[in-house]
């Protein structure tokens, strides 16, 4: 099964993708994670995207489509979860073509609905375990006082993303509404769209996604 998790920054796409990876042996393809890796390892592409990402702008379609193309040619396990991709209509069309070339189909697009005030509160409070990627929130799920991650049991660094600040967040939201939200209509018209309330408790959202995929 191949699915897209669609929603603005902070909607909880990464958190829910991790459940699907664990329980359904799916492969999470997060273009944001791939780009951060390229940036951190200082590749040519990483250098090109660093400023764009820091500002909260979108990286070019060509770059992200190239990243996804490479992954689709590899192991397919229990299917792919596209997380943070596609973000433009051109990327959506390209994904359709790439899946076709691989003899694959897109089985569902899960839209995670959240309001903007909640997004800003979530994003400015979030941090992630550098070891396993578990997401913490200063208000609802603080970093354990002993510094040991509740998910992987390691005492690694808890990192905040460089672009999780108010300025770049505003720009990321603007990019979402201008370029990504039209995909909701695009996939609705194709008949693939399922919408869930992304503001509910994590387990409730998980249940809603399970239902949407059954
Ligand atoms: P994310 O981790 O999904 O929030 O992505 C972080 C940043 O990476 C975004 O603000 C963009 O600058 C860039 N990015 C990630 N995915 C894409 C994409 N599909 N298209 C364009 N830019 C992207």
């Amino acid at each position: 099964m191949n699915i897209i998790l669609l929603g603005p920054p902070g909607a909880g796409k990464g958190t829910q993708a991790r459940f699907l990876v664990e329980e359904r042996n799916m492969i999470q393809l997060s273009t944001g994670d791939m780009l951060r890796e390229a940036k951190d390892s200082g590749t040519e592409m990483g250098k090109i995207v660093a400023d764009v990402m820091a500002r909260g702008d979108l990286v070019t379609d060509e770059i992200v489509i190239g990243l996804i193309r490479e992954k689709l040619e590899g192991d397919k396990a229990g299917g792919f979860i596209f997380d943070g991709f596609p973000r433009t209509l051109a990327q959506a069309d390209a994904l359709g073509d790439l899946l076709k070339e691989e003899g694959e189909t897109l089985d569902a697009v899960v839209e995670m609905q959240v309001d903007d005030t909640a997004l800003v509160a979530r994003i400015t409070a979030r941090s992630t375990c550098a070891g396993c990627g578990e997401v913490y929130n200063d208000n609802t799920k603080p970093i354990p006082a002993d510094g040991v991650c509740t998910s992987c049991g390691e005492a690694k660094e808890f990192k905040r993303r460089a672009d999780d600040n108010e300025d770049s967040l505003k720009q990321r939201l603007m990019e979402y509404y201008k370029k990504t939200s039209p995909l909701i209509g695009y996939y609705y018209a194709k008949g693939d769209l399922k919408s869930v309330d992304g503001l509910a408790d994590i387990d409730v959202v998980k249940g809603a996604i399970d239902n949407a995929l059954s």
Side-chain angles (χ1 to χ4, degrees):
M1 175 185 299
N2 300 307
I3 67 163
I4 295 173
L5 292 181
L6 184 63
K13 302 185 295 292
T15 299
Q16 296 298 330
R18 285 163 59 81
F19 291 134
L20 294 165
V21 169
E22 273 167 32
E23 292 180 8
R24 298 177 184 239
N25 189 33
M26 296 177 79
I27 298 175
Q28 177 187 9
L29 296 183
S30 157
T31 39
D33 285 349
M34 294 176 210
L35 293 166
R36 274 185 290 281
E37 259 173 50
K39 199 179 67 156
D40 292 347
S41 52
T43 63
E44 273 314 302
M45 190 249 284
K47 286 180 199 154
I48 295 170
V49 300
D51 287 345
V52 179
M53 291 175 76
R55 283 198 303 271
D57 288 335
L58 291 188
V59 168
T60 63
D61 289 335
E62 198 189 356
I63 288 181
V64 288
I65 291 167
L67 289 170
I68 291 288
R69 178 182 287 117
E70 263 174 44
K71 300 286 180 182
L72 292 192
E73 288 164 359
D75 179 21
K76 295 183 176 53
F80 296 109
I81 308 156
F82 298 98
D83 161 9
F85 179 93
R87 262 176 156 97
T88 63
L89 290 166
Q91 291 177 24
D93 281 338
L95 177 60
D97 292 345
L98 288 172
L99 286 171
K100 213 183 219 171
E101 277 167 30
E102 292 293 320
E104 295 283 324
T105 51
L106 182 62
D107 300 288
V109 177
V110 179
E111 180 208 358
M112 301 182 63
Q113 298 177 324
V114 272
D115 74 58
D116 294 343
T117 316
L119 290 179
V120 176
R122 270 192 191 177
I123 288 192
T124 49
R126 80 175 165 185
S127 52
T128 310
C129 169
C132 70
E134 183 73 0
V135 181
Y136 290 86
N137 178 293
D138 296 344
N139 307 313
T140 55
K141 187 181 168 192
I143 296 165
D146 60 4
V148 176
C149 175
T150 50
S151 174
C152 67
E154 305 257 337
K156 300 260 171 137
E157 196 191 342
F158 294 91
K159 296 204 295 192
R160 289 196 190 264
R161 276 174 46 171
D163 59 351
D164 276 353
N165 61 68
E166 255 183 84
D167 280 349
S168 51
L169 177 55
K170 267 190 207 148
Q171 183 58 17
R172 284 155 68 200
L173 275 177
M174 192 63 83
E175 291 286 73
Y176 177 78
Y177 287 113
K178 280 201 302 206
K179 298 176 184 165
T180 309
S181 63
L183 298 184
I184 296 169
Y186 173 99
Y187 286 117
Y188 177 79
K190 280 181 176 275
D192 297 326
L193 193 75
K194 320 257 179 188
S195 299
V196 301
D197 173 12
L199 275 184
D201 284 348
I202 287 182
D203 287 344
V204 175
V205 179
K206 179 179 177 298
I209 293 178
D210 283 336
N211 275 342
L213 300 182
S214 63

